Amino acid sequence: MADRYLRLTGTAPGRFLTRRLGLPQPAPLRRWSAERPSLDGPVLRLTAGEPAPDRPDSPHSPAPYAAVVLDATGIAEPAGLRAVHTSLHPLTAGLAPSGRVVVLGTRPGDGDLHRAAAQQALEGFVRSLGKKIGRGRTVQLVRLAPGAAPDSTLDFLLSPKSAYVSGQVIEVGPAPGQPPPGDRRRTALVTGAARGIGEAVAAALARDGAHVVCLDVPSAGDALGAVAARLGGTALALDITAADAGERIAAAVAGLGRGHDSGLGGGLDVLVHNAGITRDRRLSRMDGDRWDAVLEVNLGSVLRTTGHLLAAGALNDHGRIVATASIAGIAGNAGQTNYAASKAGIIGFVRALAADEALRERGVTVNAVAPGFIETDMTAAVPLFIREAGRRLNSLGQGGLPVDVAETVAWLASPASGGISGQVVRVCGQSLLGA
Ligand SMILES: NC(=O)c1ccc[n+]([C@@H]2O[C@H](COP(=O)([O-])OP(=O)(O)OC[C@H]3O[C@@H](n4cnc5c(N)ncnc54)[C@H](O)[C@@H]3O)[C@@H](O)[C@H]2O)c1
């Protein structure tokens, strides 16, 4: 499972050899830790067209910028795009390793043609810059609606937590309604939490203060119990495809609220649909059981349990629903007609539910993460050469870690992320698949 090539290029002889052979040079990514929670270096904020301030060029020159945030919301016609060049051209080569470029724009819309063209142009710009900027740096476009509250999004994108997110376009709107109360501990449910990405998601949500109900199949009981115990959460051994899964989740969560001094309200604040399986075969060799199993775990159960929990009133106001898609659901993937269909279905589900007026009024948000190649047991089972290709065919030249998806989920699940809904955020190092 370990990425031996990344380790090799992390040594001086390995770097020398692979450079001579013209092989990719993935940079070690700076990830979040409690000891080093921020990027190293200052953040520069500019309005498009504004030149970067002069900095002394001497042995005592200051640390390179860790990030540049460029406000391009005012660009209303294609000629105005030159301002983006003016501001960023002198800066990107000197940005710190694992540095960030975040461009702020607006929704292209369909009214003013010149504005629409210019604002859409920013997407091409950002996605291209991400492909070549190198050294573990990332580039994103954040589209702000009028009255948007982008703080949680900028906090995430300008931190080491977004290490494996690049080339993304994220829309942020105003956060509706009142902010959630801060005096009660939040309750989260994570499906497929016994290992891999789900375990990392549960850990990130627990770190951020939630009581986490960790759900997985009964056969994963020991691992599940260990994860829940480590995080001070609750284990729920349950097959998510069971007809009564929704009822049993609702009952387990209600039971938590009745616990003495639990500080929990008895409803769910965060619902993370993470459990997923693959049963790959080319379509001509795929029997119906493989098709059904994947569609049922990855999509059918998500719709059924969400429907039940909403109907039962088990999701609190300002609740957060995050479902797990995949870049296969965006780009398709050989041998994965069943899997890609299920993951594309997740995207359809998320967009439709996010548009539900009643949920919006209650401040509920619904989003998807779409992981690319993440180092887990699921991808360890992929044949060697396909695995190596999956690791390298992205702008960061390496696979992601479960924690990269987990941090993205934690950002979307945050009480401060009320303005983000209906988004599909890829955690794929800007994979060439579906880019
Ligand atoms: N690893 C990747 O590269 C990658 C890429 C894209 C998407 N994803 C998605 O991320 C999610 C997690 O993937 P992972 O790599 O951690 O997988 P994994 O196989 O390591 O873990 C999946 C977990 O889900 C649980 N699960 C499976 N069926 C279940 C069911 N019926 N009821 C309850 N739990 C069930 C498993 O027991 C396991 O603990 C999945 O939805 C997967 O499709 C993963």
Side-chain angles (χ1 to χ4, degrees):
M1 193 151 97
D3 185 344
R4 294 206 176 87
Y5 183 78
L6 184 61
R7 266 195 228 145
L8 177 71
T9 54
T11 65
R15 213 163 22 247
F16 175 76
L17 182 71
T18 51
R19 272 210 185 114
R20 291 295 293 265
L21 293 171
L23 294 171
Q25 301 293 310
L29 302 182
R30 239 303 249 117
R31 291 188 166 87
W32 184 92
S33 69
E35 297 73 40
R36 287 178 75 200
S38 309
L39 294 172
D40 310 311
V43 176
L44 176 64
R45 290 167 198 270
L46 291 175
T47 299
E50 203 182 329
D54 282 338
R55 306 187 93 197
D57 187 14
S58 74
H60 307 294
S61 59
Y65 290 115
V68 183
V69 180
L70 184 75
D71 183 349
T73 54
I75 297 182
E77 34 112 25
L81 291 164
R82 181 61 198 273
V84 175
H85 177 275
T86 304
S87 296
L88 292 183
H89 166 73
L91 283 171
T92 50
L95 204 61
S98 283
R100 307 282 192 258
V101 176
V102 178
V103 176
L104 304 178
T106 61
R107 274 185 82 159
D110 47 16
D112 180 333
L113 298 183
H114 295 264
R115 173 177 278 278
Q119 288 294 324
Q120 187 67 38
L122 294 173
E123 182 170 334
F125 171 81
V126 157
R127 292 203 202 271
S128 293
L129 184 60
K131 288 186 191 238
K132 203 63 187 157
I133 193 165
R135 303 187 72 189
R137 301 166 180 131
T138 65
V139 187
Q140 337 279 351
L141 174 61
V142 177
R143 288 190 177 137
L144 304 175
D151 296 12
S152 84
T153 301
L154 289 179
D155 285 352
F156 172 67
L157 294 176
L158 299 176
S159 89
K161 292 178 177 176
S162 59
Y164 200 60
V165 177
S166 193
Q168 296 308 288
V169 179
I170 298 159
E171 291 189 13
V172 183
Q178 299 297 312
D183 52 352
R184 179 178 58 74
R185 213 172 154 205
R186 299 168 93 218
T187 303
L189 175 88
V190 181
T191 69
R195 68 179 200 189
I197 294 171
E199 177 182 359
V201 170
L205 296 177
R207 175 203 63 194
D208 290 351
H211 179 94
V212 186
V213 180
C214 304
L215 180 151
D216 213 299
V217 286
S219 59
D222 289 348
L224 181 68
V227 171
R230 179 164 58 82
L231 302 178
T234 303
L236 182 57
L238 172 65
D239 187 325
I240 198 70
T241 64
D244 62 349
E247 282 95 323
R248 289 177 58 190
I249 294 169
V253 172
L256 288 173
R258 287 193 293 273
H260 290 300
D261 303 327
S262 70
L264 303 171
L268 270 181
D269 300 288
V270 180
L271 170 57
V272 182
H273 294 292
N274 163 79
I277 59 170
T278 51
R279 297 285 184 272
D280 300 356
R281 281 282 191 283
R282 71 177 65 173
L283 185 62
S284 57
R285 293 188 176 185
M286 186 186 294
D287 59 37
D289 289 349
R290 281 178 181 263
W291 179 274
D292 290 344
V294 169
L295 267 292
E296 182 54 14
V297 175
N298 296 3
L299 184 59
S301 67
V302 170
L303 287 163
R304 218 175 21 255
T305 50
T306 308
H308 181 86
L309 292 169
L310 290 176
L315 189 74
N316 293 332
D317 287 354
H318 302 284
R320 305 277 179 260
I321 300 174
V322 184
T324 310
S326 163
I327 55 167
I330 297 170
N333 200 19
Q336 292 200 314
T337 49
N338 51 357
Y339 183 77
S342 72
K343 296 301 190 180
I346 286 292
I347 294 173
F349 157 78
V350 158
R351 290 190 177 141
L353 193 60
D356 183 293
E357 227 12 82
L359 285 184
R360 289 173 83 93
E361 276 169 19
R362 290 179 51 209
V364 172
T365 65
V366 191
N367 293 287
V369 286
F373 184 99
I374 307 294
E375 306 278 358
T376 67
D377 291 348
M378 185 182 265
T379 46
V382 172
L384 177 68
F385 286 107
I386 301 177
R387 189 162 74 228
E388 232 355 74
R391 277 181 177 139
R392 299 306 150 220
L393 291 181
N394 59 73
S395 299
L396 297 172
Q398 58 198 287
L401 300 181
V403 71
D404 298 324
V405 184
E407 295 292 10
T408 309
V409 173
W411 153 59
L412 295 170
S414 152
S417 295
I420 311 160
S421 198
Q423 302 299 298
V424 179
V425 182
R426 288 189 287 139
V427 186
C428 63
Q430 198 180 18
S431 170
L432 300 188
L433 282 181

